[in-house]
Amino acid sequence: MAGADLALILLILACALLRAAGLLVAGRLRPDHPFVRWAASVALATLAAFIMLAILAPGGALAGIPWWARAAGVLGALAWMRFQGGMLGPLLAGLAVTAGGWAISAA
């Protein structure tokens, strides 16, 4: 198993454990409790690190997509999220922009 695959599996397990801990203490702690803020910060920082890794040093299928197309996809997803909200819309917008950039570079 490659190092990146192992890291991704560990990330998934860590996020699942944080979620489970959050569910266990959700009724007992306020949303602004330091533990809740810490858990949210750790999960968000880890996700941000993997997104940056996928943009800057991708492996597998992403390695064939130019860096500017990957960066444009992230910017497209962030723009959609900023103006429309949600999760599915930004995901699809980011994929569409990335795929469009890949198609332009392949032509």
Side-chain angles (χ1 to χ4, degrees), residues 79-95:
W80 186 285
M81 189 179 298
R82 168 70 174 97
F83 295 110
Q84 297 293 326
M87 291 303 291
L88 183 60
L91 174 66
L92 295 176
L95 287 173

Side-chain angles (χ1 to χ4, degrees), residues 55-83:
I55 293 170
L56 299 176
L62 277 180
I65 299 173
W67 70 268
W68 58 266
R70 295 188 305 265
V74 170
L75 291 176
L78 290 174
W80 186 285
M81 189 179 298
R82 168 70 174 97
F83 295 110

Side-chain angles (χ1 to χ4, degrees), residues 1-102:
M1 180 178 304
D5 294 336
L6 179 61
L8 183 59
I9 290 171
L10 291 175
L11 167 69
I12 292 168
L13 290 174
C15 287
L17 287 173
L18 284 174
R19 245 182 219 279
L23 289 173
L24 289 174
V25 298
R28 298 182 188 112
L29 298 177
R30 301 177 320 277
D32 61 341
H33 190 276
F35 176 75
V36 175
R37 289 188 309 210
W38 173 82
S41 297
V42 168
L44 187 60
T46 307
L47 179 60
F50 270 98
I51 290 171
M52 289 306 298
L53 183 62
I55 293 170
L56 299 176
L62 277 180
I65 299 173
W67 70 268
W68 58 266
R70 295 188 305 265
V74 170
L75 291 176
L78 290 174
W80 186 285
M81 189 179 298
R82 168 70 174 97
F83 295 110
Q84 297 293 326
M87 291 303 291
L88 183 60
L91 174 66
L92 295 176
L95 287 173
V97 172
T98 303
W102 175 72

